[in-house]
Amino acid sequence: MAVEAKAIEEIVKKILEEMMIKKDACITGYGIFEDMNEAIEAATIAQKELLKLSLEQRGNLITAIRKAAKDNAETFAQMAVDETGMGNYGDKVIKNLIAAEKTPGIEDLTTEAFSGDHGLTLVELSPYGVIGSITPTTNPTETVICNSIGMIAAGNAVVFSPHPTAKNTSLKAIEVINKAIIKAGGPPNLITSVANPTIDQANIMMKHKKIKLLVATGGPGVVKAVLSSGKKAIGAGAGNPPAVVDETANLEKAARDIIDGCSFDNNLPCTAEKEVIVVDSVADYLVSYMKKHGAFLITDKEQIQKLTELVVDNGHANKELVGKSVAHILQRIGIEVPSDARVAILNVERNHPLVKAELMMPILPVVRVENVDAAIELAVEAEQGFRHTAIMHSTNIDNLTKFSKEIQTTIFVKNGPSYAGIGIGGEGYATFTIAGPTGEGLTSAKDFARRRKCVLVDGLSIR
Ligand code: NAD
């Protein structure tokens, strides 16, 4: 192992010298720089090297990234929990594995062809060049894995700007992926970052002329920042996913799915159930099944008030409690919960502050409404036009259709936990960059590529 590591170091040193990158610019030899401008320059050189490789070789790099991410899924999960103090280890391992295994690679890049009397035209998906990717603290390695696979598959290099509170974890993923790329025959610095990422560094990146596309994965502030940059930008922003339950639902399954989805990684995923809206006639059954499957019901008005004041701060989640366990949060207002409690539920009115705030913690308000139409109307209001994720439990096709049409979310999960929408248990590919605001939706390699036309006039049509 030590011999292998040394051999890789030697290769990196040699290539860096050949490329005449300042020797002390790259701190680790694996993509981490002191200075953002150096990180961008190095990625620019690496992208040019990437384009010299065949598609088959590019595919080999993606295979190597997947393997390295899978091999390190547990390390990444533990580092994320230790550094951010958010979420839980087991679910983070699953998220890392899903990002490694189910993010589409070069197979995502399909070519369109037009042929006729005037020849043959191809529309091919071609790289932007160097992409600036801003990543969240809630998925510090998952986003790095997912975006590295998709962006490199499309022929780009990536400069990452990780969230400062998760920097060691994100930088570790960047290092591991760089090592894997080099070992598989790719150039060093295909993904880069800075040792001390800050908003100022992110701003340098956003303004740099060699960054051709910005991708922001985070809350409303960063999405607004990239959309105001004057560059092409993809914004993957906040959500507030409602789970609607109507009277035709399989209530026990709905209750279990909601608790499973809401408690996953302590509710950190932007896709996780954030409020339940249930038709009154079945609400008591749903709540009782939720209790059976790990919900702790709070009914005392004073306790609900105290909890609300604790977790919501001026309409937003109290950052100190984001991603914490239900036991930790409730203990702050003097409530001890049983060891098997996964989520706290509380019955609230439709305009309660917990319904609109994106809490990202296992505290789940439940609102009762008269019928399914009222449930859909309130769910659309609670989702606030983020176009992110919604969940419905129903066996009535008309109700499912009506809700999915009215809510217009990128992800709509029917009769399952929310995480089925990112490929955990559901069919389809995975992504950790869900671009509702800018419309790409479930981003993958094809979204990190430009459509370019290649026209051969009056030839090669064999029809
Ligand atoms: P955040 O918005 O605080 O930070 C996200 C990233 O943006 C970080 O790297 C941060 O340093 C940077 N940033 C923030 N403001 C910036 C600014 N003005 N200029 C430049 N950079 C800036 O979010 P977070 O707490 O890390 O993550 C949680 C949020 O992200 C939630 O709202 C969640 O819904 C959302 N999220 C969305 C997706 C998606 O795919 N749509 C995925 C994960 C998380």
Side-chain angles (χ1 to χ4, degrees), residues 87-160:
N88 69 64
Y89 168 79
D91 294 338
K92 285 188 185 297
V93 173
I94 295 172
K95 290 190 339 182
N96 281 301
L97 290 175
I98 280 286
E101 288 166 2
K102 292 182 86 173
T103 302
I106 57 169
E107 72 285 359
D108 201 45
L109 306 168
T110 52
T111 298
E112 284 175 65
F114 302 83
S115 69
D117 293 342
H118 296 298
L120 172 69
T121 291
L122 299 178
V123 176
E124 295 208 292
L125 294 178
S126 164
Y128 276 90
V130 183
I131 300 178
S133 170
I134 303 175
T135 63
T137 185
T138 49
N139 296 330
T141 52
E142 301 86 334
T143 317
V144 170
I145 298 167
C146 173
N147 286 1
S148 295
I149 292 174
M151 292 172 183
I152 293 173
N156 304 287
V158 197
V159 179
F160 282 103

Side-chain angles (χ1 to χ4, degrees), residues 316-336:
H316 297 285
N318 175 353
K319 283 212 162 82
E320 220 188 292
L321 297 175
V322 166
K324 296 286 192 249
S325 70
V326 64
H328 176 101
I329 297 166
L330 291 194
Q331 191 248 330
R332 292 276 297 265
I333 55 164
I335 301 177
E336 292 295 328

Side-chain angles (χ1 to χ4, degrees), residues 13-28:
K13 209 170 134 211
K14 197 159 159 272
I15 301 174
L16 288 178
E17 279 168 8
E18 276 168 14
M19 289 178 170
M20 291 186 298
I21 290 175
K22 267 200 271 167
K23 255 173 106 185
D24 55 356
C26 186
I27 298 167
T28 58

Side-chain angles (χ1 to χ4, degrees), residues 134-137 162-164 199 217-219 222 236-238 270 358 388 432-434:
I134 303 175
T135 63
T137 185
H163 197 291
I199 301 255
T217 314
V222 69
C270 48
E358 187 199 22
H388 201 298
F432 284 83
T433 294
I434 301 156

Side-chain angles (χ1 to χ4, degrees), residues 207-453:
K207 291 192 184 114
H208 200 289
K209 68 176 189 311
K210 289 191 177 165
I211 297 287
K212 301 297 181 195
L213 168 68
L214 287 168
V215 179
T217 314
V222 69
V223 169
K224 191 167 173 221
V226 296
L227 291 180
S228 320
S229 68
K231 289 184 193 288
K232 162 84 181 174
I234 294 178
N240 191 35
V244 167
V245 183
D246 77 8
E247 65 280 13
T248 71
N250 175 340
L251 294 172
E252 175 151 17
K253 181 174 181 308
R256 195 182 60 225
D257 287 347
I258 291 169
I259 298 303
D260 285 350
C262 175
S263 59
F264 188 66
D265 204 18
N266 290 347
N267 200 249
L268 280 183
C270 48
T271 45
E273 290 82 349
K274 299 284 189 289
E275 59 277 338
V276 170
I277 301 164
V278 54
V279 171
D280 197 28
S281 58
V282 294
D284 286 341
Y285 296 105
L286 183 78
V287 166
S288 107
Y289 283 129
M290 284 166 110
K291 283 165 68 183
K292 181 176 164 192
H293 290 284
F296 179 81
L297 176 67
I298 305 177
T299 51
D300 183 274
K301 281 207 164 65
E302 210 176 300
Q303 285 180 335
I304 293 177
Q305 182 60 26
K306 267 192 186 169
L307 182 63
T308 307
E309 283 165 16
L310 175 72
V311 298
V312 188
D313 180 10
N314 206 10
H316 297 285
N318 175 353
K319 283 212 162 82
E320 220 188 292
L321 297 175
V322 166
K324 296 286 192 249
S325 70
V326 64
H328 176 101
I329 297 166
L330 291 194
Q331 191 248 330
R332 292 276 297 265
I333 55 164
I335 301 177
E336 292 295 328
V337 297
S339 58
D340 58 353
R342 296 194 285 155
V343 171
I345 56 172
L346 44 155
N347 295 307
V348 297
E349 295 301 319
R350 58 180 295 151
N351 52 5
H352 193 276
L354 291 182
V355 176
K356 276 213 168 161
E358 187 199 22
L359 288 183
M360 294 182 283
M361 55 186 90
I363 306 291
L364 189 62
V366 178
V367 187
R368 295 160 186 247
V369 291
E370 195 186 331
N371 55 38
V372 70
D373 292 332
I376 291 172
E377 193 190 321
L378 177 57
V380 170
E381 198 183 310
E383 212 273 333
Q384 299 160 63
F386 292 132
R387 298 185 162 203
H388 201 298
T389 297
I391 303 101
M392 186 171 199
H393 295 272
S394 170
T395 54
N396 181 311
I397 300 276
D398 291 340
N399 292 349
L400 288 163
T401 308
K402 180 177 179 191
F403 185 32
S404 62
K405 271 195 175 174
E406 297 211 357
I407 192 116
Q408 289 287 326
T409 47
T410 303
I411 298 178
F412 185 75
V413 178
K414 307 178 182 88
N415 299 323
S418 53
Y419 49 66
I422 51 167
I424 303 171
E427 286 295 336
Y429 67 89
T431 182
F432 284 83
T433 294
I434 301 156
T438 46
E440 294 78 5
L442 302 147
T443 59
S444 59
K446 66 181 181 322
D447 302 298
F448 308 125
R450 298 153 61 218
R451 296 180 77 235
R452 294 175 59 209
K453 193 175 182 185

